[in-house]
Amino acid sequence: MATLFSRPQRRPPLLRQAIKIRRRGVRDLQDPRPPRAQEIEPSSHHLLPEERALLYEEALYTVLYRLGQPEPNHVGESSELLRYLQEAFRMEPEEHQQMLKRVQQLEKPVFCLKATVKQAKGILGKDVSGFSDPYCLLGIEQGMTVSGGSPGLRRRQKAVVRHTIPEEQTHRTQVITQTLNPVWDETFILEFEDISNASFHLDMWDMDAVESVRQKLGELTDLHGLRRIFKEARKEKGQDDFLGNVVLRLQDLRCREDHWYPLEPCTDTYPDRGQCHLQFQFIHKRRATKASRSQPSYTVHLHLLQQLVSHEVTQHQAGSTSWDGSLSSQAATILFLHATQKDLSDFHRSLAQWLAYSRLYQSLEFPSSCLLFPITSIEYQWIQGRLKAEQLEELATSFSSLLAYGLSLIRRFRSVFPLSVPDSPARLQSLLRVLVQMCKMKAFGELCPDSAPLPSLVTEALRAGTVGWFHLKQQHHQPMVQGLLEMGKALLSLVQDIIGDLHQCQRTWNKIFHNVLKIDLFSMAFLELQWLVAKRVQDYIAMVGGSVTPELGESLFQLYVSLKELYQLGPHPSERDGVLALEGFHRWFQPAIPSWLQKTYSVALARVQRAVQMDQLVPLGELTKHSTSAVDLSTCFAQISHTARQLNWPDPEEAFMITVKFVEDTCRLALVYCSLIKARAQELSAGQKDQGQAANMLCVVVNDMEQLRLVIGKLPTQLAWEALEQRVGAVLEQEQLQNTLHAQLQGALAGLGHEIRTGVRTLAKQLEAGIAKHIQKLVGIRESVLPEDAILPLMKFLEVKLCYMNTNLVQENFSSLLSLLWTHTLSVLAEVAASQRSCPLACSRLKFALQNLEICFYAEGCGLPPEALHTATFQVGPLGELAHSFLCSPAATTSEELGAVTVKASYRPSEQKLRVELLSASNLLPLDSNGSSDPFVQLTLEPRHEFPELAPRETQKHKKDLHPLFDETFEFLVPAEPLQKDGACLLLTVLDHDRLGTDDLEGEAFLPLRSVPGLTGMEEPGEVPQTRLPLTYPAPNGDLILQLLESRKGDREAQAFVRLRRQRAKQASHQHSLQPGR
């Protein structure tokens, strides 16, 4: 670059006069436009070949004669900028070389440094008053080649301007009187030839006027002032004082500089002399390009900006990326150099950027946010008088053009900003903000005074765009064949598109327009579209007339549902300004209601028939005990309910009749299903030899009917009977409602209940014969067989069969089966008991069987409840005598052969505590070799699954005592409910403590808890009686209940209980054999 600038050429003589431009009157330095010069057309970035060549020449000239160091983010290599220009102007290599050679042969411009002396601060006070009257002398010294760090340069820096620069090339600021912080804000144009050996000099002086001693003494304020008077007396009269200087090499400066520079002293005295604020800019004068000679600088810069931005956008589009508004470093460097060299103001640069971007935005796709910066800059610097008439007209045209283009985009926002493109909402919002900011500008208000308010323009554009979009969609859905069915489908598609569009407006677009312009897009679009849709639908229904075929009825139903959804999107009736065109639209579809109801029933019936035909009557899983047809039927009924909710007829009386029809059809389908599923079971079991398979199918059929009954029972909720009854309450009487809806439902449920009971009774009959046979065998077994062994076949039979039924039946049907079997079992037992009344052995076995059967059917609370077990048959007659004998029989033993324990037990409801006082034990067996025992008692609440969190308690151990006096109290924190259950008891286990081995069992006793004082009422118990409990041993062979529990292999609690009882029985048997005399 230095070689270009230093190339020997004939130059005009340097200007020898100062060109001073004050900041308050700054104007752009533009060469006057020749009267017959032809402008480059600014209306488009597409240039003619000759215009393009002129602009290319201007750009090359700018790069070749650049001055100053590059900016931090700019390109420093000129070759890179030249390559970029070749690409931006699409120049062939040969054409580029020719143009470059021709530009290099053009005359160089006059290089100038535009220096602005802004202000200074902290300068020395040279006057008697402590202030100074500063002014600056500045100029450029040419031909200085000393390196920056040499002593020679430092000496030259200390030299003043008047000694280094000729007087005619020296420039001077105004004198600012009596200040230490002067403000000048004066601009000077300083010419130079070669930047490589030129330096900028600025000296600051204090103006000293000739004053008398009396005047100076009048200004005296302190001793320092007196010292200054003596110093000035030694000076020549009128000699100014030196305040400091600034010396800068031009080649070290950037194109634009704005800094505070320290003032350097001439001597080492007062090194801190303050700072001076300077601004620099390298500019050109008398550029040799044709564009610079024939066009205003602003116009040329505008076209260069348009050309480079057009290239930037095109490059991004070629790479399938969107331009974000930021220029490349090459483009930014070229535009900065051109604006700087042409000395364009920031305002004119912003104006050029606005004109270029606003025009390009209308032809190329890039973010509208790029327009916000020039808008803000123009608004901040706007002064109408600084623009010429043609520039004002050009700016006004750009405003009008962008506003019209923006309104056209808003009118077509559905297609221009589709939601399928992720950034569409942000782009639309950015466009609206640009238009808002533009219309708020002072420039817009002055240049476009007749423009309507932006919200009204946008509202009108949205209204016109909505109507246009509707007609476009209507054209798009126009059917090829003009039949009623095809036209109905096309109309349905149109309405669904409108609903989708309104949803988009509600969710996305309305927020944008409301936030930026306070426009309610959704309400406006709804009002326009609902009117257009209503007109179109009424025309179509008029063409259909009263003859509605099933296919046409289906199409009309979908259209009705879509219109209802569209209508519900509108404002609430209380918020409407007038009546909607869609008001009462349901009446248009009244002729189609019979067709809809018949279609619903026909489709449901076909689905039920198909579901039963495909059903193999196999449970769906372990937890789901019904088959596939029950699931299909539930889905079918749910679809009927969904259709009823979709219909939701507004008129109360007609809505009631429609609901009655839906209920009637649903109940009819339920009974049809029962007939079909039974026929299907007979069909599948006809060729089956395995009776178990037939029983499985019968269980599935019963479960399917039970599932159907559950589904039918939900009809009032699914069809919203309560809301319907409230609506028709003023029109119909409550008795009429009961005789229609409720009567139909109760009739269907009664029919289903009868079918279910019939199925369960059939299953029960298959088991009743086996139960009767085992009871008859019970009394015929020989006398030597124990009662528990005698009833074992009956109990195993029941356990197997009931487990099977419990697995295959739902709980409701299994409970019904148990009731039937229990009734049958009691009748058989009563009949056998009446015939065997004279046989004690038979009565004993029947009593034992009754006891175990009751336990079996109760099933620890999972079977029949006690009130269902204790029927009239159970309580009267021969069977009642057995039951009374069992319930009122004394304890298993009253002998105290093993000893006894004495306790007091009570319950405190207020504290929910069971209080047990263990008083004593007596007559215990001696289990140690010394003829005594070391007894202690273990207290446990049984059964354990009812009290899992209550740990066993123990008394203290008494050594060598067969009649221990414990006198200890234990409290169990437990609610009353589990204590009141059948079988709840306190187990007291007396053990002999053994240090070396397992503790020996003395015996055990059970205290039933249901009769504990304080448990049945809320009052605290009074005096608690003592209870003496004889100790017993577990039966050595166990009992029937223990055998039944042992057979439940998968029940962990049952197995743990069996192991504990077996262990204690074995221990008791061993100790029993060791006792003397036994």
Side-chain angles (χ1 to χ4, degrees):
M1 185 170 67
T3 57
L4 288 173
F5 292 157
S6 59
R7 188 170 63 246
Q9 295 185 23
R10 294 186 61 83
R11 303 278 307 188
L14 293 174
L15 294 179
R16 300 302 181 183
Q17 58 183 357
I19 305 173
K20 180 161 51 175
I21 304 174
R22 297 194 182 279
R23 175 66 64 182
R24 55 183 174 268
V26 170
R27 291 188 179 180
D28 293 304
L29 295 176
Q30 298 178 354
D31 294 331
R33 184 187 305 182
R36 285 179 288 185
Q38 183 179 2
E39 285 192 13
I40 300 176
E41 178 63 36
S43 60
S44 173
H45 66 280
H46 299 292
L47 302 174
L48 298 175
E50 55 272 17
E51 295 171 339
R52 180 166 154 271
L54 291 178
L55 191 60
Y56 192 58
E57 178 188 65
E58 178 75 14
L60 293 178
Y61 195 85
T62 299
V63 174
L64 290 177
Y65 295 107
R66 65 184 298 182
L67 295 172
Q69 296 295 324
E71 297 293 319
N73 296 325
H74 286 182
V75 177
E77 295 295 331
S78 298
S79 57
E80 184 178 349
L81 298 178
L82 294 175
R83 285 194 300 271
Y84 175 81
L85 285 174
Q86 181 182 352
E87 295 176 1
F89 282 82
R90 296 186 180 88
M91 287 289 182
E92 297 294 334
E94 295 181 1
E95 187 179 6
H96 169 74
Q97 290 298 328
Q98 292 175 2
M99 290 289 294
L100 182 61
K101 186 175 181 182
R102 188 166 63 194
V103 172
Q104 288 173 344
Q105 294 173 356
L106 294 175
E107 184 180 0
K108 292 197 301 183
V110 176
F111 300 138
C112 301
L113 177 67
K114 182 180 178 181
T116 300
V117 183
K118 300 289 289 184
Q119 58 183 323
K121 62 181 179 181
I123 64 174
L124 297 178
K126 290 290 187 177
D127 295 341
V128 176
S129 62
F131 294 98
S132 295
D133 303 322
Y135 69 93
C136 297
L137 297 178
L138 61 154
I140 291 181
E141 180 185 7
Q142 195 74 46
M144 187 186 71
T145 57
V146 182
S147 61
S150 65
L153 177 60
R154 287 196 293 272
R155 286 194 297 273
R156 294 293 296 274
Q157 287 177 344
K158 294 179 182 296
V160 296
V161 170
R162 62 183 60 171
H163 296 159
T164 57
I165 301 175
E167 184 177 355
E168 63 271 16
Q169 298 179 22
T170 301
H171 312 291
R172 177 173 175 164
T173 67
Q174 290 182 334
V175 178
I176 309 298
T177 60
Q178 293 300 294
T179 181
L180 298 180
N181 301 294
V183 177
W184 289 285
D185 202 9
E186 297 182 40
T187 301
F188 304 89
I189 305 298
L190 311 176
E191 298 182 3
F192 62 91
E193 289 186 358
D194 190 353
I195 195 175
S196 61
N197 58 8
S199 62
F200 169 80
H201 287 255
L202 179 141
D203 293 345
M204 190 176 297
W205 297 87
D206 171 41
M207 171 69 75
D208 275 345
V210 178
E211 296 178 342
S212 65
V213 175
R214 179 176 295 179
Q215 290 174 324
K216 293 181 179 179
L217 289 175
E219 298 174 357
L220 184 63
T221 59
D222 55 12
L223 292 177
H224 292 287
L226 184 61
R227 189 182 300 116
R228 293 191 189 98
I229 292 177
F230 292 146
K231 184 177 180 182
E232 289 182 0
R234 295 193 299 270
K235 294 193 318 181
E236 298 179 6
K237 292 183 178 181
Q239 182 180 357
D240 297 339
D241 292 321
F242 181 76
L243 296 177
N245 68 353
V246 176
V247 181
L248 301 170
R249 295 191 305 175
L250 297 191
Q251 65 181 2
D252 295 334
L253 300 177
R254 295 195 180 100
C255 289
R256 284 189 176 186
E257 292 281 6
D258 187 348
H259 290 295
W260 285 86
Y261 296 94
L263 293 171
E264 299 289 341
C266 282
T267 64
D268 293 336
T269 60
Y270 300 112
D272 185 8
R273 292 173 173 263
Q275 294 177 306
C276 185
H277 184 194
L278 301 175
Q279 291 179 344
F280 299 109
Q281 179 180 339
F282 288 114
I283 64 174
H284 289 176
K285 291 179 62 178
R286 293 197 294 273
R287 290 166 66 96
T289 61
K290 293 181 180 179
S292 294
R293 293 197 305 268
S294 61
Q295 304 294 330
S297 300
Y298 158 77
T299 305
V300 177
H301 186 76
L302 170 60
H303 283 279
L304 181 59
L305 176 61
Q306 286 179 326
Q307 183 66 29
L308 296 186
V309 171
S310 175
H311 172 68
E312 293 281 321
V313 176
T314 306
Q315 288 295 106
H316 280 81
Q317 289 178 344
S320 300
T321 58
S322 59
W323 186 52
D324 60 357
S326 59
L327 294 172
S328 63
S329 58
Q330 296 89 345
T333 303
I334 294 171
L335 292 170
F336 177 78
L337 291 175
H338 186 264
T340 304
Q341 294 172 8
K342 302 285 282 186
D343 196 20
L344 281 179
S345 66
D346 291 339
F347 174 76
H348 282 84
R349 291 184 64 187
S350 300
L351 182 62
Q353 186 179 4
W354 162 257
L355 293 175
Y357 281 26
S358 62
R359 292 171 186 172
L360 289 171
Y361 180 73
Q362 301 176 40
S363 57
L364 298 174
E365 183 178 354
F366 62 88
S368 56
S369 57
C370 302
L371 302 172
L372 288 175
F373 174 76
I375 286 178
T376 306
S377 181
I378 293 172
E379 176 70 7
Y380 180 72
Q381 306 177 73
W382 173 251
I383 300 176
Q384 185 174 357
R386 72 193 305 178
L387 294 180
K388 299 177 182 179
E390 58 270 20
Q391 291 177 334
L392 292 173
E393 183 180 355
E394 189 176 26
L395 183 58
T397 303
S398 71
F399 287 153
S400 301
S401 176
L402 184 66
L403 180 58
Y405 181 71
L407 292 175
S408 70
L409 294 182
I410 293 172
R411 188 163 48 249
R412 299 177 289 111
F413 78 91
R414 293 173 174 85
S415 57
V416 177
F417 304 100
L419 285 179
S420 56
V421 179
D423 63 341
S424 289
R427 287 167 48 217
L428 175 60
Q429 188 171 18
S430 176
L431 171 62
L432 293 176
R433 287 179 175 172
V434 167
L435 295 179
V436 169
Q437 293 300 323
M438 183 186 74
C439 294
K440 286 181 179 179
M441 295 172 66
K442 294 190 291 287
F444 183 87
E446 295 174 8
L447 300 179
C448 305
D450 299 330
S451 177
L454 182 61
S456 61
L457 293 175
V458 173
T459 301
E460 186 57 35
L462 290 173
R463 183 176 288 108
T466 300
V467 174
W469 176 83
F470 173 84
H471 291 300
L472 187 65
K473 282 292 181 182
Q474 184 177 358
Q475 220 173 22
H476 173 72
H477 290 296
Q478 195 70 21
M480 299 294 293
V481 180
Q482 295 296 321
L484 287 178
L485 186 59
E486 289 75 14
M487 292 173 64
K489 292 179 180 179
L491 184 56
L492 174 63
S493 300
L494 176 62
V495 174
Q496 289 174 345
D497 283 351
I498 290 172
I499 293 172
D501 178 74
L502 288 175
H503 278 302
Q504 290 181 358
C505 289
Q506 194 174 39
R507 289 193 301 263
T508 305
W509 303 123
N510 199 62
K511 297 177 184 177
I512 295 175
F513 283 99
H514 187 270
N515 291 340
V516 180
L517 291 167
K518 305 302 180 186
I519 293 176
D520 190 355
L521 168 66
F522 173 76
S523 297
M524 184 274 299
F526 175 80
L527 292 176
E528 290 293 329
L529 292 173
Q530 65 92 24
W531 185 86
L532 295 169
V533 168
K535 182 68 170 63
R536 184 72 184 89
V537 172
Q538 284 179 309
D539 293 343
Y540 173 70
I541 292 181
M543 295 172 59
V544 172
S547 58
V548 180
T549 62
E551 295 79 8
L552 203 55
E554 176 67 20
S555 178
L556 286 175
F557 181 76
Q558 296 300 328
L559 182 59
Y560 168 82
V561 172
S562 298
L563 282 180
K564 189 178 74 168
E565 183 179 358
L566 175 60
Y567 180 78
Q568 290 172 348
L569 287 176
H572 193 268
S574 61
E575 302 174 359
R576 299 172 190 166
D577 295 335
V579 180
L580 298 178
L582 284 177
E583 195 73 40
F585 72 92
H586 62 281
R587 298 189 184 92
W588 308 341
F589 296 88
Q590 264 182 332
I593 292 179
S595 173
W596 296 346
L597 297 177
Q598 183 59 37
K599 177 73 174 180
T600 303
Y601 177 77
S602 302
V603 171
L605 179 60
R607 290 188 61 177
V608 168
Q609 292 173 342
R610 184 167 59 253
V612 173
Q613 191 61 34
M614 300 294 295
D615 197 352
Q616 297 299 318
L617 298 182
V618 177
L620 291 175
E622 294 182 2
L623 300 178
T624 306
K625 299 179 181 181
H626 49 264
S627 62
T628 57
S629 63
V631 177
D632 292 340
L633 188 65
S634 300
T635 305
C636 181
F637 286 174
Q639 184 60 42
I640 294 176
S641 301
H642 178 66
T643 302
R645 289 194 299 271
Q646 282 183 309
L647 191 56
N648 192 22
W649 199 256
D651 294 337
E653 291 187 47
E654 295 178 2
F656 176 74
M657 298 307 299
I658 292 173
T659 305
V660 169
K661 178 61 176 173
F662 276 126
V663 174
E664 179 184 345
D665 291 344
T666 304
C667 296
R668 191 193 315 169
L669 284 173
L671 298 178
V672 169
Y673 174 78
C674 291
S675 301
L676 293 175
I677 199 69
K678 288 192 297 183
R680 178 63 176 168
Q682 293 177 358
E683 177 185 352
L684 292 176
S685 60
Q688 291 284 346
K689 296 182 179 179
D690 186 5
Q691 293 300 321
Q693 189 67 23
N696 289 344
M697 291 184 185
L698 185 55
C699 288
V700 172
V701 169
V702 173
N703 293 336
D704 287 343
M705 294 180 182
E706 184 64 36
Q707 178 67 16
L708 177 58
R709 182 164 63 176
L710 294 177
V711 173
I712 291 293
K714 297 177 182 178
L715 274 181
T717 302
Q718 293 178 342
L719 296 181
W721 283 13
E722 184 176 354
L724 179 63
E725 290 175 357
Q726 292 177 357
R727 289 173 57 194
V728 302
V731 182
L732 301 177
E733 297 180 358
Q734 186 66 27
E735 184 178 354
Q736 189 175 357
L737 295 175
Q738 293 291 339
N739 293 336
T740 51
L741 294 177
H742 296 279
Q744 286 181 349
L745 181 61
Q746 294 303 323
L749 292 176
L752 286 173
H754 174 73
E755 295 289 346
I756 292 171
R757 288 192 298 273
T758 302
V760 172
R761 194 175 295 110
T762 303
L763 291 172
K765 287 182 178 180
Q766 297 177 2
L767 303 180
E768 289 173 354
I771 294 174
K773 181 177 67 174
H774 283 88
I775 292 177
Q776 292 289 346
K777 288 183 177 180
L778 183 64
V779 297
I781 298 176
R782 61 184 182 274
E783 185 177 351
S784 61
V785 178
L786 295 175
E788 53 266 27
D789 294 333
I791 68 166
L792 191 58
L794 172 63
M795 302 308 295
K796 284 187 175 181
F797 172 79
L798 284 175
E799 184 174 10
V800 171
K801 295 299 183 181
L802 292 181
C803 286
Y804 171 80
M805 291 299 174
N806 189 30
T807 302
N808 290 275
L809 289 176
V810 296
Q811 185 60 41
E812 293 79 2
N813 295 335
F814 180 68
S815 298
S816 300
L817 179 66
L818 285 181
S819 297
L820 293 175
L821 293 178
W822 177 247
T823 301
H824 172 73
T825 302
L826 291 181
S827 63
V828 173
L829 282 173
E831 182 180 348
V832 175
S835 61
Q836 301 292 332
R837 184 172 297 177
S838 59
C839 179
L841 178 61
C843 291
S844 174
R845 288 180 176 176
L846 289 175
K847 184 177 69 172
F848 191 74
L850 178 61
Q851 171 190 356
N852 287 275
L853 285 172
E854 184 184 16
I855 296 174
C856 176
F857 277 85
Y858 179 68
E860 299 180 351
C862 298
L864 295 177
E867 56 271 16
L869 291 171
H870 301 160
T871 62
T873 306
F874 180 84
Q875 296 175 358
V876 300
L879 191 58
E881 296 175 2
L882 292 176
H884 184 270
S885 174
F886 160 63
L887 293 173
C888 300
S889 60
T893 178
T894 57
S895 172
E896 295 186 0
E897 183 180 358
L898 302 178
V901 292
T902 304
V903 297
K904 293 171 65 176
S906 63
Y907 185 76
R908 301 181 180 274
S910 60
E911 301 177 7
Q912 289 195 338
K913 288 183 179 180
L914 175 67
R915 179 184 176 89
V916 179
E917 296 180 49
L918 187 58
L919 302 178
S920 63
S922 59
N923 301 324
L924 299 181
L925 297 178
L927 298 181
D928 293 340
S929 58
N930 57 9
S932 185
S933 292
D934 302 327
F936 68 96
V937 181
Q938 188 180 75
L939 297 87
T940 309
L941 293 182
E942 296 289 346
R944 292 303 304 155
H945 67 273
E946 292 289 348
F947 309 96
E949 298 179 358
L950 295 178
R953 310 289 180 86
E954 290 183 359
T955 65
Q956 293 183 354
K957 301 173 177 62
H958 291 247
K959 294 184 176 181
K960 300 180 181 179
D961 193 351
L962 299 181
H963 305 279
L965 183 63
F966 295 105
D967 199 13
E968 296 184 34
T969 302
F970 301 91
E971 289 184 343
F972 297 88
L973 184 61
V974 59
E977 182 181 356
L979 298 177
Q980 294 173 342
K981 292 185 177 181
D982 291 336
C985 63
L986 174 66
L987 172 61
L988 301 122
T989 306
V990 184
L991 299 168
D992 171 35
H993 177 62
D994 193 343
R995 293 184 178 181
L996 299 180
T998 306
D999 296 333
D1000 298 325
L1001 178 66
E1002 288 276 2
E1004 60 184 12
F1006 293 89
L1007 175 65
L1009 296 176
R1010 293 188 64 179
S1011 58
V1012 168
L1015 191 60
T1016 56
M1018 294 304 295
E1019 297 181 358
E1020 298 295 332
E1023 184 66 24
V1024 180
Q1026 297 183 3
T1027 303
R1028 186 176 179 87
L1029 301 172
L1031 298 180
T1032 63
Y1033 275 160
N1037 296 325
D1039 54 17
L1040 177 62
I1041 298 177
L1042 201 63
Q1043 295 177 19
L1044 292 175
L1045 290 175
E1046 188 176 16
S1047 64
R1048 299 180 182 178
K1049 301 299 182 183
D1051 191 340
R1052 293 184 179 181
E1053 293 184 358
Q1055 295 300 317
F1057 181 77
V1058 168
R1059 284 194 300 271
L1060 176 63
R1061 302 307 298 171
R1062 295 289 189 197
Q1063 180 181 1
R1064 287 195 173 179
K1066 181 178 180 181
Q1067 185 179 13
S1069 176
H1070 175 69
Q1071 293 172 184
H1072 188 75
S1073 63
L1074 294 178
Q1075 293 300 318
R1078 295 190 182 238

